Amino acid sequence: MASAAEGDMEAELTRGLRWDFQDLSLNKLATSLGASEQALRLIISIFLGYPLALFYRRYLFYKDSYLIHLFHTFTGLSIAYYNFGTQFYHSLLCILLQFLILRLMGRTVTAVLTTFCVQMGYLLAGYYSTATGTYDIKWTMPHCVLTLKLIGLAIDYYDGGKDQKSLSSEQQIYAIRGVPSLLEVAGFSYFYGAFLVGPQFSMNHYMKLVRGELTDVPGRIPNSTIPALRRLALGLVYLVGYTLLSPHITEDYLLSDDYHNGSFWFRCMYMLLWGKFVLYKYVTCWLVTEGVCILTGLGFSGFDEYGTAKWDACANMKVWLFETNPRFTGTIASFNINTNAWVARYFFKRLKFLGNKVLSQGLSLLFLALWHGLHSGYLVCFQMEFLIVIVERQAASLIQDSPVLSRLASITVLQPLYYLVQQTIHWLFMGYSMTAFCLFTWDKWMKVYKSIYFLGHVFFLSLLFILPYVRKVMVPRKEKLKKME
């Protein structure tokens, strides 16, 4: 009897310990926070960048370059394994392929085109094979960041073989003159501060970090702790805001009967609020990772005119501009900055031979849409961005060139009203565009667009055709002639 009782007690204790362990499991913690386990792993991995950066500053700054590359490679691979298990091989395979392309094909157009086809093809194949109707954190998420890195690497390596005088001043900065080793390419690709969600940076900038050149005090560890903590603190503010609001403002509600049974104006206002809020998860990740880059020194970008050190080389967000600018172009200029700069540098400007700026811009946005994924929602989102930017520029030009409209726009007492109207239009149609981006499939975003009668498309397509006629009426002929001169 005693042994049986002891056995029962032991079994009960074992069950209790097992239950306590389950309570402490990552899955349980994620559920209690209202997040997925993969999302929690991602957040933990991003914050791990800070102790890794402190270790780098304390023990590896100004050490042999091969040790730094090994550290970045090992930590990046560990983060990839922690998040995606054995699927980390996808990134490793593409890095090895890229190294072979550089070595076997050299500084040739063939190497650039092969890189583009191989890396984009692999990414798109990954999207196709893993696609679902919802947003899942899987190996393709960091792989899209890696794809741009490796394509940029091939183009910079190609530029390094050209006569320096034939390159633009920007291309001269990024052109790679030496021949990168496999360890250098791996360290550049797996750098823990940017492997998961960015930002983008060049091989040359990375090598400056390895050589200890990215510091405001030559010969010493950079004084970047305070700037890094500021970005971290700002990221935490957005994280808290997103965590508190995410249970109440969701894209799932856009598909619910409650949403569709609400009034037209309710549906518009909800879309406006959701469109503003949904971007906060991206803002959070980019601010936190920027802090990691600043702490290592990678964020150092020189000194301003007053001799103050600047730490914005890896800035993916201009928070003040993002929160206050009432124009779509302002949001584009403040959001995902390094990716936009990458597309401008390696894609848009390389299409100069087409001789048509609008066409180059359209193709660049098409590339961005495909880079994000194969869902129709991405194409619709970037198509709307293209349309909105064109209309916004037409409207701004009209107001500037029309004496009547420019006088109206300059009335001081009406400025707050103008700002309120602009911001309302701005975030309503930002939410309209993000609806397709976040709902992915045509049946979902089509359902939401139908509920508000395709307001965004109707509004901006109408303006696209109407504004040229308004310009004929509102802009005097002499102004038009002056503009042409």
Side-chain angles (χ1 to χ4, degrees):
M1 288 292 292
S3 61
E6 288 175 2
D8 289 341
M9 289 179 63
E10 185 177 342
E12 187 66 29
L13 181 60
T14 302
R15 282 196 296 271
L17 289 172
R18 190 184 301 119
W19 178 256
D20 289 341
F21 178 76
Q22 288 174 350
D23 277 347
L24 294 173
S25 71
L26 202 61
N27 198 336
K28 196 80 173 177
L29 178 59
T31 303
S32 67
L33 293 173
S36 67
E37 183 179 345
Q38 278 300 99
L40 186 57
R41 285 181 186 273
L42 175 66
I43 290 295
I44 291 172
S45 300
I46 289 173
F47 279 97
L48 272 175
Y50 286 88
L52 292 175
L54 289 173
F55 180 89
Y56 167 74
R57 286 166 62 93
R58 177 68 178 83
Y59 297 106
L60 292 175
F61 213 88
Y62 292 120
K63 294 297 190 241
D64 291 338
S65 60
Y66 79 91
L67 290 175
I68 298 174
H69 295 311
L70 283 172
F71 176 67
H72 291 159
T73 302
F74 175 75
T75 52
L77 277 169
S78 300
I79 288 171
Y81 182 77
Y82 175 67
N83 282 271
F84 312 110
T86 56
Q87 290 185 327
F88 77 88
Y89 79 85
H90 292 289
S91 59
L92 190 59
L93 176 60
C94 284
I95 290 168
L96 289 171
L97 285 173
Q98 189 55 49
F99 175 73
L100 290 174
I101 289 171
L102 295 182
R103 283 299 177 93
L104 297 176
M105 297 185 180
R107 304 177 189 271
T108 61
V109 174
T110 304
V112 173
L113 294 177
T114 302
T115 294
F116 187 87
C117 293
V118 168
Q119 301 298 350
M120 277 300 292
Y122 199 99
L123 177 65
L124 295 178
Y127 284 146
Y128 181 79
S129 63
T130 63
T132 63
T134 57
Y135 183 80
D136 301 313
I137 297 175
K138 45 190 178 286
W139 67 266
T140 53
M141 186 197 69
H143 203 87
C144 69
V145 177
L146 178 65
T147 297
L148 295 192
K149 270 188 179 181
L150 297 179
I151 292 173
L153 173 65
I155 295 174
D156 290 338
Y157 187 65
Y158 168 69
D159 285 345
K162 293 181 178 179
D163 181 3
Q164 192 166 359
K165 294 179 181 178
S166 67
L167 301 176
S168 68
S169 56
E170 182 182 53
Q171 290 169 349
Q172 290 176 21
I173 294 172
Y174 297 103
I176 299 171
R177 300 296 173 185
V179 181
S181 67
L182 177 58
L183 190 57
E184 288 171 344
V185 174
F188 164 68
S189 302
Y190 280 118
F191 173 69
Y192 51 86
F195 171 69
L196 287 173
V197 296
Q200 293 293 329
F201 52 88
S202 69
M203 172 63 93
N204 281 352
H205 194 68
Y206 169 75
M207 291 304 294
K208 287 181 181 178
L209 173 72
V210 174
R211 293 193 296 267
E213 297 174 11
L214 296 181
T215 175
D216 55 333
V217 185
R220 294 174 56 187
I221 295 171
N223 297 311
S224 58
T225 305
I226 299 302
L229 291 177
R230 285 176 185 154
R231 299 313 271 180
L232 172 61
L234 194 54
L236 289 173
V237 169
Y238 276 95
L239 177 61
V240 170
Y242 182 78
T243 303
L244 292 176
L245 291 173
S246 58
H248 309 291
I249 306 178
T250 67
E251 56 257 34
D252 290 338
Y253 186 75
L254 292 169
L255 299 169
S256 69
D257 292 335
D258 272 354
Y259 177 79
H260 291 272
N261 290 334
S263 68
F264 172 76
W265 295 112
F266 167 78
R267 294 195 294 269
C268 289
M269 288 307 298
Y270 185 88
M271 182 175 286
L272 183 154
L273 293 172
W274 171 80
K276 176 78 171 177
F277 159 76
V278 73
L279 297 175
Y280 282 5
K281 58 185 175 183
Y282 303 106
V283 177
T284 296
C285 291
W286 290 332
L287 287 174
V288 174
T289 53
E290 184 190 345
V292 174
C293 293
I294 291 172
L295 193 59
T296 62
L298 193 71
F300 182 66
S301 60
F303 300 89
D304 62 18
E305 62 270 23
Y306 304 106
T308 304
K310 297 187 297 181
W311 302 98
D312 58 356
C314 294
N316 241 351
M317 284 297 304
K318 294 179 180 178
V319 175
W320 182 254
L321 182 64
F322 173 77
E323 294 290 356
T324 61
N325 194 284
R327 298 177 62 172
F328 291 91
T329 48
T331 299
I332 293 169
S334 65
F335 189 81
N336 206 1
I337 297 170
N338 277 285
T339 300
N340 291 335
W342 188 98
V343 173
R345 182 163 63 247
Y346 295 112
F347 203 89
F348 176 77
K349 293 178 182 178
R350 305 277 171 165
L351 295 177
K352 189 176 180 180
F353 67 91
L354 295 175
N356 188 313
K357 191 174 182 179
V358 175
L359 177 60
S360 297
Q361 186 179 11
L363 290 173
S364 298
L365 289 174
L366 176 61
F367 168 76
L368 266 177
L370 291 173
W371 175 71
H372 277 90
L374 297 174
H375 290 297
S376 59
Y378 295 128
L379 291 171
V380 173
C381 175
F382 285 100
Q383 164 266 316
M384 276 304 301
E385 179 183 324
F386 187 49
L387 175 61
I388 290 170
V389 168
I390 289 174
V391 171
E392 187 174 72
R393 286 173 179 167
Q394 284 185 353
S397 177
L398 172 62
I399 293 171
Q400 181 181 349
D401 295 341
S402 169
V404 175
L405 294 178
S406 59
R407 280 197 298 270
L408 281 172
S410 62
I411 298 174
T412 305
V413 72
L414 294 178
Q415 295 300 314
L417 177 61
Y418 294 152
Y419 182 80
L420 179 62
V421 171
Q422 275 188 289
Q423 281 287 33
T424 301
I425 293 173
H426 171 201
W427 285 112
L428 171 60
F429 293 112
M430 184 64 71
Y432 184 89
S433 302
M434 289 301 297
T435 296
F437 187 93
C438 293
L439 295 182
F440 302 126
T441 58
W442 72 271
D443 56 318
K444 292 180 180 179
W445 57 258
M446 182 70 76
K447 180 180 179 181
V448 180
Y449 280 179
K450 281 181 179 178
S451 73
I452 57 171
Y453 314 111
F454 292 90
L455 181 62
H457 286 85
V458 171
F459 182 75
F460 284 101
L461 284 172
S462 299
L463 286 177
L464 183 66
F465 290 105
I466 291 171
L467 284 177
Y469 295 101
V470 176
R471 185 177 183 84
K472 288 182 179 179
V473 176
M474 301 297 294
V475 179
R477 183 170 178 77
K478 62 180 181 180
E479 293 291 332
K480 295 175 185 175
L481 293 172
K482 190 185 299 182
K483 191 87 173 177
M484 290 174 65
E485 292 175 0

